[in-house]
Amino acid sequence: MRPAHATKALDISVGTRVEADGGLTPLVLLVSAVAAIGGFVFGYDIGGGGGSFAMEGFQTQFGWANKSEAVRADEIGWISALLTLGAAAGAAPSGILSDRVGRRPCIITSALIFSIGASLQAFASGSPSASLAQLYVGRLVGGFGVGMLSTTVPVYIAECAPGSWRGSLSMCWQFAIVIGIVVASLANVPLAHWDQGWRVSYGGNVVFALLLALLMVWMPESPRWLGQRGREAALRRTLSRLRSSTLAAEEEATSIEAKAAEEAAGGASSWRGLLRRPLAMRHRMLLGVALQCWQPLAGINAIMFFAPKILLAYFSAEAALWGTLGINVANAAATVVALVGVDRLGRVPLLLASGLLMCVCHLAMVALALSPPSQQLGYAVVSVASLFVASFAFGWGPLPWTVCSEIFPTKYRSKATAVTTATNWLVNTAVGKVFPLLPLATAFAIFAAACFAACATVFFFQPETANLGMEQIDEAFESHRVRRVSAKLWSADRRARIRAEGRRRMRAAAGAAVVAYASEVRAAGGDGAAGVGKGEEKRESIV
Ligand code: BGC
């Protein structure tokens, strides 16, 4: 059997898509599309809930006519914060569940929990206070499901994807979120004319959550989870279905098994191990937590949840919903840039460009917020908000999810993503609660500073992981040095260095292949020296 490390010419430099890992197959596409329904469910929730505040039926049900502006702002804050708080609570248990029972059952469970929560929200009834209590409980339970989904789905997609397509396929998660947001905000426009329409805004996605649960029954389990559990036969069976060639499947299975054995030799995974130095776990954890902290602090949900409310200061309720829809379409359109660019341009340049543009947009928002409101200003707000959302969508929207789903060793992946995802939701909760209370100009100035700090984090601490096999990412972290400010990120020089680094890693992998092959031959009772000879030949053909 060929040793795992002796994979064919894997040119792992940014910008090159290689098919040596089996390339894209219909089943991989289907798996990613089905799992991404989880993202759609989450996106629909964001788009649906935000729009409901501008609906008369909603305002009547919750007795808004008799409530002061401050009380309404507080209720809006809770409606958004309880979902995100529930999501933070759902992240940790799903990390444990997906480690124990597998990614697939965990996704199914999450979808069912979400359906219960969303149904509670859709059927909120009785007096305004009883309705509100039911809505709050529903937000918390639904949020729990969303938190579980957002921890498990990106990991599941990344673990099923071949290395050269992992970035683009991981984008399915975010792409589905933004489609969900657009569909919900499109639906909100006619729903606003029906006094019960808000119920569909909160509960319409139950249909999709149940569809997800049903379809996941037929999807394969994550090959990396199977490898980690030592289920050799199932691992090979699954990979032979997911990859286009038996050779690619066999090589990947061997590589996964070797990595699982290496990780197992280091002892069982523990929560404490997340912050230890071996395997550069501390670096990976701090980076993952920082990315997921900066994402909500970049201020996206101030726009996603509150755009209709902000636009009401300039336009009628109907026009505010149309304006929100325009912003959400910009979100979806710009996500395509990330989809195409993530493996070609790399994670780091996209995050930097996206962060800097968002920073500029926030500064423009500060200026607009300080000017007296007029309809003209309203158009400027919609334009800057659309540009901001588009900038978020091609970088900071999808990439924290993608990066966190790929940077951790399999042994720690579930626990580590549970922590990074919970961080995202906790910070989201704080933003959702605090934003409505701050003057707009102050809030946007804070977001601008956060975007700048986010770029600095990426610039100094994030190694490029585009096109690396999941097993090669360990080395990228172990050899990463804090970037010097003088490094020229955009130059041809940088691209050349990335390629050279790719070749260096290839040589290291080939060297490991020679050693592994020789010991395999020796273990099989063959001639070790001859084995090394063959290994050397193989090395020649690889490098
Ligand atoms: C974020 C959400 C946000 C959405 C908007 C996601 O990646 O996690 O908080 O609402 O993008 O597109």
Side-chain angles (χ1 to χ4, degrees):
M1 191 195 303
R2 273 162 60 99
H5 318 277
T7 43
K8 286 178 293 174
L10 259 185
D11 178 353
I12 54 179
S13 56
V14 172
T16 321
R17 206 187 272 293
V18 281
E19 304 300 325
D21 53 15
L24 195 59
T25 58
L27 184 60
V28 166
L29 256 180
L30 183 70
V31 161
S32 311
V34 167
I37 297 175
F40 180 94
V41 165
F42 163 29
Y44 186 102
D45 205 282
I46 298 169
S52 68
F53 308 138
M55 295 183 188
E56 252 182 64
F58 175 90
Q59 297 175 358
T60 313
Q61 180 75 30
F62 294 91
W64 271 19
N66 304 321
K67 289 177 180 165
S68 69
E69 188 52 41
V71 171
R72 288 188 221 163
D74 188 53
E75 287 180 2
I76 291 180
W78 279 114
I79 290 170
S80 99
L82 283 171
L83 181 100
T84 49
L85 207 59
S94 74
I96 296 167
L97 193 70
S98 89
D99 249 355
R100 296 233 169 111
V101 299
R103 319 305 192 210
R104 220 168 44 112
C106 186
I107 294 176
I108 295 173
T109 313
S110 324
L112 295 178
I113 293 180
F114 174 82
S115 305
I116 297 173
S119 308
L120 279 171
Q121 295 168 50
F123 294 109
S125 53
S127 66
S129 54
S131 305
L132 196 64
Q134 184 170 339
L135 186 71
Y136 281 174
V137 174
R139 297 295 284 168
L140 207 56
V141 177
F144 196 90
V146 168
M148 291 180 75
L149 286 172
S150 56
T151 308
T152 320
V153 170
V155 166
Y156 174 70
I157 296 178
E159 289 185 341
C160 290
S164 58
W165 282 90
R166 196 183 54 249
S168 300
L169 291 174
S170 301
M171 292 287 146
C172 290
W173 164 251
Q174 180 71 15
F175 198 56
I177 295 179
V178 297
I179 298 290
I181 297 176
V182 170
V183 169
S185 48
L186 195 60
N188 276 342
V189 179
L191 286 174
H193 298 294
W194 175 38
D195 64 345
Q196 301 298 316
W198 63 272
R199 296 187 188 279
V200 184
S201 305
Y202 283 94
N205 45 0
V206 170
V207 176
F208 296 97
L210 293 178
L211 184 70
L212 169 65
L214 187 70
L215 292 178
M216 279 308 293
V217 173
W218 289 287
M219 295 298 116
E221 185 46 272
S222 144
R224 272 158 184 98
W225 183 82
L226 292 170
Q228 215 210 355
R229 289 273 143 168
R231 300 206 188 155
E232 259 184 56
L235 166 66
R236 290 194 148 67
R237 223 180 18 251
T238 304
L239 276 173
S240 67
R241 289 174 63 206
L242 285 169
R243 302 292 175 257
S244 59
S245 77
T246 329
L247 184 66
E250 184 52 39
E251 282 177 342
E252 196 172 336
T254 317
S255 162
I256 290 175
E257 279 167 357
K259 198 74 205 170
E262 192 187 315
E263 288 180 7
S269 80
S270 66
W271 290 98
R272 265 212 226 141
L274 294 180
L275 278 180
R276 296 226 169 101
R277 275 180 198 278
L279 286 170
M281 273 311 293
R282 188 179 300 177
H283 178 178
R284 300 188 216 216
M285 264 326 286
L286 291 178
L287 177 68
V289 165
L291 292 180
Q292 291 289 30
C293 184
W294 292 131
Q295 194 213 46
L297 267 178
I300 183 65
N301 287 333
I303 303 293
M304 289 292 118
F305 287 134
F306 301 107
K309 181 92 194 352
I310 296 174
L311 295 183
L312 275 178
Y314 308 98
F315 303 110
S316 68
E318 169 125 10
L321 288 177
W322 280 110
T324 308
L325 179 61
I327 293 171
N328 293 338
V329 168
N331 191 7
T335 305
V336 178
V337 176
L339 202 74
V340 177
V342 64
D343 290 323
R344 293 191 166 83
L345 302 169
R347 282 60 162 156
V348 171
L350 283 179
L351 281 168
L352 291 177
S354 154
L356 290 175
L357 260 172
M358 287 195 299
C359 185
V360 172
C361 292
H362 280 315
L363 293 176
M365 281 297 222
V366 172
L368 292 174
L370 291 174
S371 318
S374 69
Q375 207 179 50
Q376 238 108 29
L377 207 72
Y379 290 123
V381 169
V382 174
S383 312
V384 176
S386 303
L387 186 62
F388 160 74
V389 167
S391 316
F392 172 86
F394 76 77
W396 281 89
L399 284 166
W401 299 112
T402 299
V403 173
C404 288
S405 70
E406 68 185 11
I407 59 173
F408 300 108
T410 310
K411 174 164 121 175
Y412 285 112
R413 195 167 296 130
S414 298
K415 288 193 176 70
T417 47
V419 174
T420 55
T421 306
T423 307
N424 180 305
W425 290 115
L426 281 176
V427 179
N428 238 320
T429 309
V431 173
K433 229 22 227 128
V434 174
F435 174 77
L437 309 176
L438 290 177
L440 278 184
T442 313
F444 286 116
I446 295 174
F447 294 148
C451 290
F452 189 77
C455 289
T457 308
V458 169
F459 182 86
F460 289 115
F461 301 110
Q462 185 167 337
E464 183 56 69
T465 45
N467 287 302
L468 295 184
M470 275 186 134
E471 285 67 32
Q472 295 166 316
I473 288 177
D474 290 350
E475 217 227 316
F477 271 88
E478 277 157 356
S479 61
H480 180 257
R481 299 281 164 270
V482 173
R483 221 170 256 131
R484 275 175 299 126
V485 182
S486 63
K488 295 186 188 90
L489 265 173
W490 303 99
S491 63
D493 178 47
R494 176 179 183 264
R495 287 181 68 81
R497 268 188 293 117
I498 289 174
R499 279 175 202 285
E501 175 67 1
R503 279 196 294 275
R504 191 187 68 69
R505 289 206 185 114
M506 268 308 300
R507 266 185 234 114
V514 172
V515 175
Y517 193 81
S519 51
E520 214 173 83
V521 172
R522 240 180 266 123
D527 178 355
V532 172
K534 272 192 225 156
E536 295 286 16
E537 260 172 50
K538 198 160 285 168
R539 187 187 158 146
E540 286 296 323
S541 65
I542 296 167
V543 181

